[in-house]
Amino acid sequence: MTERQAPQAGLGRRHLIGGSLAAMTATAMAAPASAAEGKPTAPARSDVTVPDGELLGYSLPLSARGTAQIVAAPPWHYVGDLVGVEFWTSPDAAEAALPAGLISDPSTAGHGYACFIDWQFSGDHQEYLDPVRSQYSEFLILLDARFDDTAVAWCPFIYVDNDAALARGWFQGFPKKMGTIRQTRAFSVASQAGPVVGAGGAFGASMSAAGHRLAEAKITLKQSGTTLPALGRPIVNLRHFPRLSAGQYANPAVHELTQSILDTPQVANVWTGSGDLSFFPAPGEELADLKIQRTGIGFRGSLSYTVTDLKILTGPDAPGN
């Protein structure tokens, strides 16, 4: 195994989703102005400018009124139910999935989590009242790694079923692809058609993409908990936007490690137990390269947080560069 050198930079811990979420203190942050409130102002960076009179919007497509954009400016509020399973792959497979700048965590090499999440999203204007746009499902992998001297989680694979969720993920560095994700639902009324969220409750989940099933999980709940096991480390991603210029394909316009910053994270109704997990090979996919050697705990819970910021760890926009 070839060890990769991590850059010598500190990793801040402001409003990270991890550890004991209930103990974290919220800090209010000013929300950026909506593009619909006026023409965008020029960014502070001298090498990037938005022309006067430009079309409106935070993201493409920019338009005359700024409402055609696929993603509006933050704040982005999230709430969802998560089903997950702890697993171990080989240290070599985990190492191969890491980008330059991260190294495998020697104390937990090969350790990770698979998570299936049923999300509801909103801005500050009750966008959740439009369910077809605000609801989506997600599947992601988190692998133990280290950035400098800090234990982090790296997301090599993530799938969603909503185009706006795909775009928001790319802006943050999550390598999102389109997929179909399902998990067993639970309801507040007793029924043989659904499990209890409690001891003995059994949940299933699956993910497929391009017509191929890639992952499935089953968990059985045993005892209540206080935090979701998968969220014990800050998440580090890789923002990568290539150039479409002849001779410049290997010289991306953006290539930087980022740290997710999540405001006011909360969890509720957490249960843990046993879990089974399987990955399946398919053309054009590498998830099954993380061959599962064994599984650990299964878990289910609800979580919420808000995104308004992102920390750049490497590259020209990182602090000190």
Side-chain angles (χ1 to χ4, degrees):
M1 184 185 305
T2 302
E3 181 173 281
R4 300 169 183 167
Q5 295 301 312
Q8 299 299 306
L11 190 66
R13 300 275 311 170
R14 181 169 64 89
H15 303 307
L16 298 177
I17 190 161
S20 178
L21 300 184
M24 305 183 84
T25 303
T27 299
M29 299 184 67
S34 168
E37 296 174 1
K39 297 291 185 180
T41 58
R45 287 176 51 179
S46 61
D47 60 333
V48 178
T49 60
V50 175
D52 291 338
E54 184 57 275
L55 295 170
L56 301 178
Y58 173 76
S59 66
L60 295 175
L62 304 184
S63 60
R65 292 188 288 115
T67 57
Q69 59 192 345
I70 190 171
V71 174
W76 300 334
H77 307 291
Y78 299 86
V79 64
D81 289 330
L82 182 153
V83 171
V85 177
E86 178 185 31
F87 74 94
W88 282 260
T89 186
S90 71
D92 286 347
E95 175 74 19
L98 296 177
L102 296 184
I103 61 172
S104 183
D105 190 327
S107 63
T108 58
H111 179 257
Y113 295 97
C115 300
F116 305 78
I117 313 176
D118 184 17
W119 284 118
Q120 186 159 285
F121 164 85
S122 185
D124 275 348
H125 303 287
Q126 293 185 307
E127 285 84 352
Y128 53 78
L129 295 178
D130 187 7
V132 72
R133 292 180 180 270
S134 65
Q135 294 177 1
Y136 70 99
S137 294
E138 184 172 81
F139 168 85
L140 74 158
I141 297 294
L142 296 173
L143 295 176
D144 289 3
R146 297 194 74 85
F147 177 83
D148 196 8
D149 294 326
T150 302
V152 301
W154 159 249
C155 178
F157 304 114
I158 180 170
Y159 297 78
V160 294
D161 58 6
N162 173 286
D163 57 355
L166 183 84
R168 287 192 301 268
W170 285 10
F171 298 161
Q172 297 173 79
F174 284 99
K176 291 187 177 183
K177 298 173 68 172
M178 296 297 288
T180 301
I181 303 95
R182 295 288 186 269
Q183 65 171 272
T184 301
R185 296 171 177 171
F187 298 89
S188 56
V189 61
S191 172
Q192 291 183 339
V196 297
V197 182
F203 291 78
S206 66
M207 185 275 289
S208 62
H212 297 275
R213 177 163 289 204
L214 302 181
E216 63 182 21
K218 293 182 180 179
I219 68 169
T220 301
L221 306 181
K222 295 182 179 179
Q223 60 272 329
S224 61
T226 57
T227 190
L228 287 165
L231 306 180
R233 294 167 175 245
I235 299 174
V236 170
N237 293 311
L238 178 64
R239 275 169 39 101
H240 177 92
F241 294 94
R243 283 188 169 90
L244 185 57
S245 301
Q248 294 294 308
Y249 301 153
N251 182 26
V254 177
H255 189 85
E256 56 195 14
L257 290 176
T258 64
Q259 172 196 317
S260 291
I261 298 177
L262 308 179
D263 304 325
T264 60
Q266 301 179 76
V267 298
N269 208 15
V270 175
W271 284 78
T272 63
S274 60
D276 294 320
L277 179 68
S278 299
F279 299 152
F280 307 105
E285 303 291 347
E286 297 183 39
L287 174 62
D289 290 358
L290 299 174
K291 186 176 181 180
I292 298 170
Q293 296 185 329
R294 62 187 176 97
T295 58
I297 59 173
F299 48 92
R300 186 188 187 275
S302 299
L303 71 156
S304 68
Y305 57 81
T306 295
V307 172
T308 58
D309 201 1
L310 182 71
K311 184 172 183 178
I312 308 301
L313 301 178
T314 64
D317 289 337
N321 291 342

